[in-house]
Amino acid sequence: MSKQKRFFLSEEEIPTKWYNIQADMINKPMPPIHPKTKQPLKPEDLFPIFAQELSRQELDQTNQWIEIPEEVREMYKYYRSTPLVRAYGLEKALGTPAHIYFKNESVSPVGSHKLNSALAQAYYCKKEGVTNITTETGAGQWGAALSYAAKVFGLEAAVYQVKISYNQKPYRRSIMQTYGAQVTPSPSMSTRAGKDILTVNPNCQGSLGTAISEAIELAMNTPNCKYTLGSVLSHVTLHQTVIGLEAEKQMEMAGEYPDMVIACFGGGSNFGGIAFPFMRHNILDGKKTRFIAAEPASCPKLTKGVFQYDFGDEAGYTPLLPMFTLGHNFMPANIHAGGLRYHGAGVIVSQLMKDKLMEAVDVQQLESFKAGLLFSQAEGIIPAPESCHAIAATVNEALKCKETGEEKVILFNLSGHGLIDMTAYDQYLSGSLQNFEVSDEEIKKNVAQLEKVI
Amino acid sequence: MSKQKRFFLSEEEIPTKWYNIQADMINKPMPPIHPKTKQPLKPEDLFPIFAQELSRQELDQTNQWIEIPEEVREMYKYYRSTPLVRAYGLEKALGTPAHIYFKNESVSPVGSHKLNSALAQAYYCKKEGVTNITTETGAGQWGAALSYAAKVFGLEAAVYQVKISYNQKPYRRSIMQTYGAQVTPSPSMSTRAGKDILTVNPNCQGSLGTAISEAIELAMNTPNCKYTLGSVLSHVTLHQTVIGLEAEKQMEMAGEYPDMVIACFGGGSNFGGIAFPFMRHNILDGKKTRFIAAEPASCPKLTKGVFQYDFGDEAGYTPLLPMFTLGHNFMPANIHAGGLRYHGAGVIVSQLMKDKLMEAVDVQQLESFKAGLLFSQAEGIIPAPESCHAIAATVNEALKCKETGEEKVILFNLSGHGLIDMTAYDQYLSGSLQNFEVSDEEIKKNVAQLEKVI
């Protein structure tokens, strides 16, 4: 009854370096390819779009540890460490002998883990003299984080929010505007990429891939403006490793080590963020932790996609990335977990999947909300629809432990809260929410188009 | 730059006792009066409505410290201590030499301080064999807390939500339902109190006073059912002293002691919760801290009300309480700070006001949101409309320090976050939000009616 429930680090114990798993991977990720020259990408190729330091981090396969700038670390201290929580309530509700822990990133001021990279990206942009930044946002978690980070470092932010999410989650738009950002629903008529889509399909509800195209286009056409991204890319995942590095120390405080690390999967940054610091002990120290990415059944790139060079955005502005993908023009169903509606996986995760250093599972929308409701009532925290996928995978593993009687240690990342997503919970409670599955035929069709890409 | 930003207590340091200021008050609060017998209330008189232990706490003027039950303390550990935060961002934005601290109650799983008393009330009800509990909620913060607390202790919860808030904040209803509660907009046709109002005024948008009447009526007419309240009463404020007791230790960690303690004011529980533990040092140790209650200009009971015996609810079901009041049938304007739309102040605060041990200021709605926006951009946390009143009062005091150059230490309570109140921020940003002031005539009219009460 009186066992410790939450574990915190002091401000001095907050990590001073991010962990770059690329340095430790036996099989390095294949290089991104310049779409015109077809040559492996060099950092300079990314300078027109990204801050230079972020471009270098993106392609860094050498440095195991990368210093967190003092200014970013000072901002981390306002909400980090986030608590590591022993989910006694959930364990009891499931009747499982498993020990379930979660890293509660939902207590960040913006409500999700996204701030960890937003602060870093805004900082580097500011340092390099940038005045304006653009980005895309799916569920709005990244957009909110970037809007606040821009305000912190005195930058102007323009956010393209996927239209379905703009309409489903009007509060997220308000939050971004409260932080001072300019928000546009995507696809919009303000870019060529948006216009091209809207002229073919005026009712298009958008996707992350399209919003990325629009944000890149705006950045390319605006002086002193850079683009920032909320997931997928290696430097974003790098910044998120602060989650796993903290969790490592906190699990030590709890006297345990995870048998499984679970996170939801959109582009891979919250997954990589919590998983990679533990995975390094699998690679270097022979640990046998399982790493499970929970993706939506309606956007199953890891379980049903192909490993192939593909664009990161819908319009084809990005370099070609070696990724598990459903095809860059794949338009995912309108699930509420907007942050998971992305066609591809980051290059690091894609290589790790190929090398079987991690696993992936698909979760149906109804199953995700069932788990989210259970968690809400057991732990009091209403999880983001994205995080519900991680909880569903955790519940499945915990129930297997119940069958076998094994006291396994499960750690999952609660990437954000769902307080802006109550419409989704309403629909779940009223029985009007549905599952979406993508047909093999649709995937095959999209994947076939990819053949022409290089 | 590298000074500590947040202060936490370990689980062992979380207070084991609540502080009962009644024991230390020189002039005790005047007794609540039984409306029929006109005699001072005894705990037994409250047993039909409240759990017995809560009834005893309500009238306890003797015991300085009251033990927090083990089961409640174990639940506190899931979110307490809440952080004490040095608001460097706000200080910088204001250019003030003042040291501003806030106690961040918004990180509780339900998003506000309300859980501190909800857990206690649900626990005592459960312990005494109650199966169902009822309550009212204004902004929905209390209702959300009570719904979750009921779930924790295996009780059924029925919540009457003030209709204006039910419509303004549909997500709060969803949150309560996600926790498993039954939610009814008030006034409703399900009670006599509601029917009486709706037959006179079918478009009545409700008030806390009316919702209280409905919840009490349901409790009285339902076997094995008790009523619970989110503020005003002394036992609720007692439970909230865990805030100030933690803050006292945390301020010590920061090496400072507050010159001012500021909180928004509805019924008084978040104000008393943070203020009373510090006020005891004014009473007992000669400290000179100022205590400032920030109430809305549209519901100014402390600054413009009269001190008088009055009912706590609209229909007159409660005992008569010696309170600063605008009259129990006062219908406040539809401001977004629904938690502050209450006609009276708790009996302890009312006595303290009379004895000039504390002060009160009025804040206009626009001024409150201006302060909330400033805080959002400076600290990243979007405050509840109620908390915006505390921030506005803090800003005023910090700006006075800027004029005088004084390095005063200001502590305020961030009672909750405003993520469910983004409609209000939208309206503020678009310029469509307005101020409301209550005319002296209206107050005079309501107060005149009171004369007949006893």
Side-chain angles (χ1 to χ4, degrees):
Chain A
M1 195 62 180
S2 66
K3 276 176 271 169
Q4 194 169 345
K5 288 159 183 62
R6 299 194 305 163
F7 302 87
F8 281 99
L9 304 178
S10 70
E11 291 185 4
E12 297 71 43
E13 292 171 302
I14 296 171
T16 57
K17 297 181 170 73
W18 294 304
Y19 171 61
N20 178 17
I21 196 171
Q22 295 193 72
D24 288 334
M25 288 167 72
I26 314 291
N27 299 324
K28 306 288 182 204
M30 288 155 64
I33 296 285
H34 194 294
K36 293 214 178 94
T37 66
K38 300 285 192 295
Q39 293 300 307
L41 212 67
K42 291 189 289 289
E44 307 84 270
D45 298 327
L46 292 171
F47 289 178
I49 301 178
F50 294 106
Q52 298 188 7
E53 181 56 28
L54 296 168
S55 304
R56 280 186 286 268
Q57 288 176 1
E58 183 63 25
L59 299 172
D60 186 338
Q61 299 194 333
T62 315
N63 296 295
Q64 199 183 14
W65 298 100
I66 292 174
E67 190 83 23
I68 304 175
E70 176 74 12
E71 290 83 349
V72 174
R73 235 181 128 225
E74 286 300 314
M75 287 308 300
Y76 279 177
K77 290 180 186 171
Y78 281 103
Y79 66 102
R80 310 207 67 85
S81 71
T82 60
L84 175 79
V85 187
R86 174 76 183 266
Y88 286 110
L90 182 60
E91 290 174 19
K92 192 177 156 199
L94 294 170
T96 178
H99 294 193
I100 304 175
Y101 292 84
F102 63 94
K103 185 74 169 153
N104 187 1
E105 291 291 307
S106 79
V107 298
S108 111
V110 301
S112 83
H113 70 294
K114 294 289 189 188
L115 193 54
N116 302 328
S117 185
L119 287 167
Q121 293 187 48
Y123 165 75
Y124 288 119
C125 286
K126 178 70 180 184
K127 199 183 163 199
E128 296 177 16
V130 168
T131 56
N132 292 57
I133 52 182
T134 73
T135 199
E136 81 298 327
T137 194
Q141 300 264 32
W142 166 248
L146 202 269
S147 300
Y148 172 54
K151 180 57 70 179
V152 166
F153 290 108
L155 301 166
E156 291 297 319
V159 182
Y160 286 93
Q161 182 174 12
V162 177
K163 194 178 281 170
I164 178 72
S165 151
Y166 188 90
N167 293 326
Q168 273 176 346
K169 307 177 189 192
Y171 284 15
R172 276 268 157 66
R173 168 188 52 71
S174 312
I175 290 171
M176 293 185 262
Q177 291 170 336
T178 297
Y179 289 139
Q182 182 197 311
V183 188
T184 309
S186 166
S188 77
M189 294 301 279
S190 71
T191 63
R192 189 190 60 72
K195 270 183 254 182
D196 283 356
I197 291 172
L198 286 175
T199 47
V200 174
N201 177 7
N203 293 320
C204 177
Q205 292 299 297
S207 71
L208 273 171
T210 303
I212 292 173
S213 296
E214 294 208 90
I216 293 179
E217 196 180 317
L218 179 63
M220 290 193 302
N221 296 332
T222 309
N224 226 3
C225 179
K226 296 290 175 197
Y227 167 68
T228 63
L229 187 70
S231 189
V232 186
L233 291 180
S234 302
H235 69 269
V236 184
T237 310
L238 173 75
H239 305 152
Q240 295 296 353
T241 58
V242 69
I243 303 171
L245 292 167
E246 284 182 2
E248 200 188 334
K249 295 188 197 182
Q250 290 166 309
M251 289 297 299
E252 210 176 301
M253 290 166 75
E256 306 221 66
Y257 192 88
D259 297 305
M260 283 169 258
V261 176
I262 298 174
C264 64
F265 195 92
S269 78
N270 107 85
F271 172 81
I274 193 160
F276 293 172
F278 291 98
M279 202 181 282
R280 89 178 190 273
H281 297 300
N282 276 28
I283 298 173
L284 303 176
D285 313 323
K287 290 270 189 196
K288 302 282 183 206
T289 300
R290 288 173 58 202
F291 301 94
I292 303 170
E295 61 180 9
S298 55
C299 198
K301 58 246 176 192
L302 292 176
T303 53
K304 293 189 180 164
V306 294
F307 182 84
Q308 178 125 9
Y309 271 99
D310 193 10
F311 290 109
D313 68 322
E314 201 279 340
Y317 293 150
T318 72
L320 287 160
L321 304 168
M323 46 161 50
F324 276 91
T325 179
L326 299 165
H328 62 274
N329 52 358
F330 176 76
M331 197 56 72
N334 291 335
I335 57 169
H336 283 273
L340 309 185
R341 293 178 72 248
Y342 183 71
H343 67 279
V347 301
I348 298 176
V349 163
S350 293
Q351 186 63 44
L352 295 170
M353 270 300 285
K354 235 178 117 197
D355 292 343
K356 301 197 181 353
L357 286 161
M358 55 174 282
E359 313 160 40
V361 293
D362 289 349
V363 178
Q364 289 281 6
Q365 179 157 261
L366 288 176
E367 186 192 358
S368 72
F369 279 99
K370 185 182 172 195
L373 194 75
L374 178 73
F375 185 80
S376 299
Q377 298 191 351
E379 298 289 334
I381 304 164
I382 297 179
E386 293 81 5
S387 311
C388 287
H389 290 72
I391 298 170
T394 299
V395 166
N396 285 340
E397 292 296 335
L399 290 177
K400 283 184 210 163
C401 290
K402 188 177 178 177
E403 272 180 37
T404 61
E406 287 173 291
E407 269 193 23
K408 288 194 176 160
V409 178
I410 307 174
L411 167 66
F412 77 87
N413 196 30
L414 186 73
S415 53
H417 64 63
L419 294 177
I420 308 300
D421 306 279
M422 295 314 300
T423 308
Y425 281 89
D426 263 0
Q427 290 176 6
Y428 176 71
L429 289 169
S430 68
S432 64
L433 208 63
Q434 62 180 104
N435 284 336
F436 295 98
E437 214 146 355
V438 51
S439 72
D440 290 340
E441 200 171 80
E442 194 182 345
I443 296 175
K444 209 182 283 176
K445 199 187 80 192
N446 268 284
V447 166
Q449 290 178 307
L450 292 189
E451 306 297 327
K452 306 161 202 158
V453 160
I454 40 174
Chain B
M1 195 62 182
S2 66
K3 277 176 269 170
Q4 193 168 345
K5 288 159 183 61
R6 299 194 306 163
F7 301 87
F8 281 99
L9 304 178
S10 70
E11 291 185 3
E12 296 73 41
E13 292 170 301
I14 296 171
T16 57
K17 296 181 171 73
W18 294 302
Y19 171 62
N20 178 17
I21 195 171
Q22 295 193 72
D24 288 333
M25 289 167 72
I26 314 292
N27 299 325
K28 307 287 182 203
M30 289 155 63
I33 297 284
H34 194 294
K36 292 214 178 95
T37 66
K38 300 282 190 298
Q39 292 301 305
L41 212 69
K42 292 189 288 289
E44 307 84 272
D45 298 328
L46 293 171
F47 289 178
I49 301 179
F50 294 107
Q52 298 188 6
E53 181 56 29
L54 295 168
S55 304
R56 280 187 286 268
Q57 287 176 3
E58 184 62 25
L59 300 171
D60 186 337
Q61 299 194 333
T62 315
N63 295 295
Q64 197 183 15
W65 298 100
I66 291 173
E67 190 83 23
I68 304 175
E70 176 73 12
E71 289 83 348
V72 175
R73 233 180 129 228
E74 285 301 314
M75 288 308 300
Y76 279 177
K77 290 180 185 171
Y78 280 104
Y79 65 102
R80 310 207 66 85
S81 70
T82 59
L84 175 79
V85 188
R86 174 78 183 263
Y88 286 110
L90 182 61
E91 290 174 19
K92 192 176 153 197
L94 295 171
T96 179
H99 295 193
I100 304 175
Y101 292 84
F102 63 94
K103 185 73 168 152
N104 186 1
E105 291 291 307
S106 79
V107 298
S108 111
V110 302
S112 83
H113 70 293
K114 294 289 189 188
L115 194 53
N116 301 328
S117 185
L119 287 167
Q121 293 188 48
Y123 165 75
Y124 288 120
C125 285
K126 178 69 180 184
K127 200 182 164 199
E128 295 177 17
V130 168
T131 56
N132 292 58
I133 51 183
T134 72
T135 200
E136 81 298 328
T137 196
Q141 300 264 32
W142 166 249
L146 202 268
S147 301
Y148 172 55
K151 180 58 70 178
V152 166
F153 290 108
L155 301 167
E156 292 297 319
V159 182
Y160 286 93
Q161 182 174 13
V162 177
K163 195 178 280 171
I164 178 73
S165 152
Y166 187 90
N167 293 326
Q168 272 176 347
K169 307 175 190 194
Y171 284 16
R172 276 268 158 65
R173 168 188 53 72
S174 313
I175 291 172
M176 293 185 261
Q177 289 170 336
T178 297
Y179 290 137
Q182 183 197 311
V183 187
T184 308
S186 167
S188 78
M189 293 301 279
S190 71
T191 63
R192 188 190 60 72
K195 269 183 255 180
D196 282 356
I197 290 172
L198 286 175
T199 47
V200 174
N201 177 6
N203 293 320
C204 177
Q205 293 298 297
S207 71
L208 272 171
T210 303
I212 292 173
S213 295
E214 294 207 89
I216 292 179
E217 195 179 318
L218 179 63
M220 290 193 303
N221 296 333
T222 310
N224 226 4
C225 179
K226 296 289 175 196
Y227 167 67
T228 63
L229 186 69
S231 189
V232 186
L233 291 180
S234 301
H235 69 268
V236 184
T237 310
L238 173 75
H239 305 151
Q240 295 296 353
T241 58
V242 69
I243 303 171
L245 292 167
E246 283 183 3
E248 200 187 335
K249 295 188 199 181
Q250 290 166 309
M251 288 298 299
E252 208 176 303
M253 290 166 74
E256 307 220 65
Y257 192 88
D259 297 305
M260 283 169 256
V261 176
I262 298 174
C264 64
F265 196 91
S269 79
N270 107 84
F271 172 81
I274 193 160
F276 292 172
F278 291 98
M279 203 181 282
R280 89 177 190 274
H281 298 299
N282 277 28
I283 298 174
L284 303 177
D285 312 323
K287 290 269 189 196
K288 301 282 183 207
T289 300
R290 288 173 57 201
F291 301 94
I292 304 170
E295 60 180 9
S298 55
C299 197
K301 57 246 176 192
L302 292 176
T303 52
K304 295 189 180 165
V306 294
F307 182 84
Q308 179 126 8
Y309 271 98
D310 193 10
F311 290 109
D313 68 321
E314 200 279 340
Y317 292 151
T318 71
L320 287 160
L321 304 168
M323 45 160 52
F324 275 91
T325 179
L326 299 165
H328 63 274
N329 52 358
F330 176 76
M331 197 56 72
N334 291 334
I335 57 169
H336 284 273
L340 309 185
R341 293 177 72 248
Y342 183 71
H343 67 279
V347 302
I348 298 176
V349 162
S350 293
Q351 186 64 44
L352 295 170
M353 270 300 284
K354 235 178 118 198
D355 292 342
K356 300 196 181 354
L357 286 161
M358 55 174 283
E359 313 160 38
V361 293
D362 288 349
V363 178
Q364 289 281 5
Q365 178 157 261
L366 289 175
E367 185 192 358
S368 73
F369 279 99
K370 184 182 173 194
L373 194 76
L374 178 73
F375 185 79
S376 299
Q377 298 191 351
E379 297 290 334
I381 305 164
I382 297 178
E386 291 81 6
S387 310
C388 288
H389 290 72
I391 298 171
T394 299
V395 166
N396 286 340
E397 292 296 335
L399 290 177
K400 284 184 208 163
C401 290
K402 189 177 176 177
E403 273 180 37
T404 61
E406 288 174 292
E407 268 191 25
K408 288 196 176 159
V409 178
I410 306 175
L411 167 66
F412 76 87
N413 196 29
L414 185 74
S415 54
H417 64 65
L419 294 177
I420 308 301
D421 306 279
M422 295 315 300
T423 307
Y425 281 90
D426 263 0
Q427 290 176 6
Y428 177 70
L429 289 169
S430 69
S432 64
L433 208 62
Q434 62 180 104
N435 283 337
F436 295 97
E437 214 147 354
V438 51
S439 71
D440 289 341
E441 199 170 80
E442 194 182 345
I443 296 175
K444 210 182 283 176
K445 199 187 81 191
N446 268 283
V447 166
Q449 290 177 307
L450 292 188
E451 307 297 327
K452 306 161 201 158
V453 160
I454 38 175

